[in-house]
Amino acid sequence: MLRRHAAGTGCTVHVGGNVGTPILDRLGQVGEDDLIVLELSSFQLEIFDPALAYGPMEGIGPDVAAILNLTPNHLDRHPSMRAYADAKFNLLRHLKPTSQLILSGDDSVTSRLGSADGTSAGDPLPGGWEMEPLLAELSQRLAEQGVQPRFFSRNRPLATGAWLEGDELICDGAAFCRGEVVLLRGEHDISNLLAASAISRAAGA
C-alpha cells in the first residue's frame, strides 16, 4: 500500500504497518510530499471496513496497492481460505480510478483478478476454497473503479509490468538487474524483487 509522488521531488519515505514502529506514532513527522509505505496483514485489513470502524471510504484507497500472493496462511485465525482472501481483498475495495494495482501473474488467485470474470487465468483452485464468486465480484469492482491491474511474473514474459527473462529482471521492458547478483536466497525473492520494481515504477521511480 503506497502513496505516490511525482518522480524527482524530494521526500521522506516512511515505512510501517505490519513491520517496525507503528506509523500512527509518527503521523506528526509525515510531510505533505512524503511517501508512506505500509505492509498490512490480513488481520489489519479485515477491519478496513466502513461497517466496522471508519465510516465512508470510497475513493480514499492507496495510490499504489499490491498483493504478492494468496496461499494458505493464518487459517488458525481465519475460518477458511475464502475468509482469508476476503480480508486481504479489503485493500482493493476502495481504490481510486488513478490507483495502480500490482499483482502476481504466477499466483493462482491473484492472476485471476485481471480477467473480466475473475476465473480465466492461472492454475485450477482447490475445490474447498470456494473463491470463484469472490474473485468475480472483485474483478467486476476493479473494472467499475477503472483500475487495470499490472502484473509481475517469474515464469513468463509480460507485455507490461515486471518479469524474469533468462537471467535478467525486467521492468516495463528495461533490464534493471541480473539474477546472478541477487544475494537473497530462494526463487520467491526474485518474485519479491520483481514486485518491488513494479511498485516503485508505479510510485514514480
Side-chain angles (χ1 to χ4, degrees):
M1 183 167 168
L2 183 63
R3 176 182 163 197
R4 188 172 57 238
H5 75 296
T9 61
C11 70
T12 300
V13 178
H14 304 271
V15 178
N18 199 35
V19 293
T21 305
I23 198 74
L24 289 175
D25 294 345
R26 292 175 280 144
L27 287 181
Q29 304 168 28
V30 178
E32 184 177 348
D33 294 323
D34 289 354
L35 281 171
I36 299 173
V37 181
L38 298 176
E39 183 206 5
L40 300 176
S41 73
S42 60
F43 305 154
Q44 292 163 309
L45 287 168
E46 69 184 348
I47 61 170
F48 200 70
D49 183 331
L52 295 176
Y54 300 103
M57 299 174 67
E58 295 307 315
I60 65 168
D63 291 312
V64 181
I67 297 180
L68 274 58
N69 60 53
L70 214 157
T71 57
N73 285 304
H74 305 304
L75 297 183
D76 57 334
R77 162 70 174 268
H78 300 290
S80 66
M81 270 300 292
R82 179 182 171 124
Y84 173 52
D86 200 37
K88 291 189 83 166
F89 287 157
N90 272 339
L91 179 63
L92 311 182
R93 290 192 166 99
H94 306 286
L95 298 179
K96 300 167 282 193
T98 55
S99 296
Q100 296 197 53
L101 174 59
I102 310 300
L103 299 170
S104 171
D106 299 333
D107 182 86
S108 60
V109 177
T110 60
S111 63
R112 285 169 161 76
L113 290 176
S115 63
D117 61 2
T119 61
S120 61
D123 296 330
L125 297 177
W129 287 10
E130 299 179 348
M131 209 174 294
E132 286 76 7
L134 177 63
L135 291 170
E137 176 241 314
L138 260 294
S139 292
Q140 181 178 353
R141 190 178 187 110
L142 291 174
E144 291 171 353
Q145 291 169 324
V147 175
Q148 179 62 49
R150 302 180 75 224
F151 291 91
F152 64 92
S153 174
R154 193 178 71 238
N155 297 327
R156 57 190 173 91
L158 304 172
T160 62
W163 64 91
L164 181 66
E165 191 167 321
D167 191 47
E168 290 190 320
L169 282 69
I170 297 171
C171 185
D172 285 344
F176 64 89
C177 179
R178 294 190 67 84
E180 65 184 6
V181 304
V182 176
L183 300 181
L184 299 169
R185 296 181 178 180
E187 291 187 349
H188 70 282
D189 278 318
I190 297 295
S191 295
N192 289 341
L193 287 170
L194 292 169
S197 70
I199 293 166
S200 299
R201 177 62 60 89

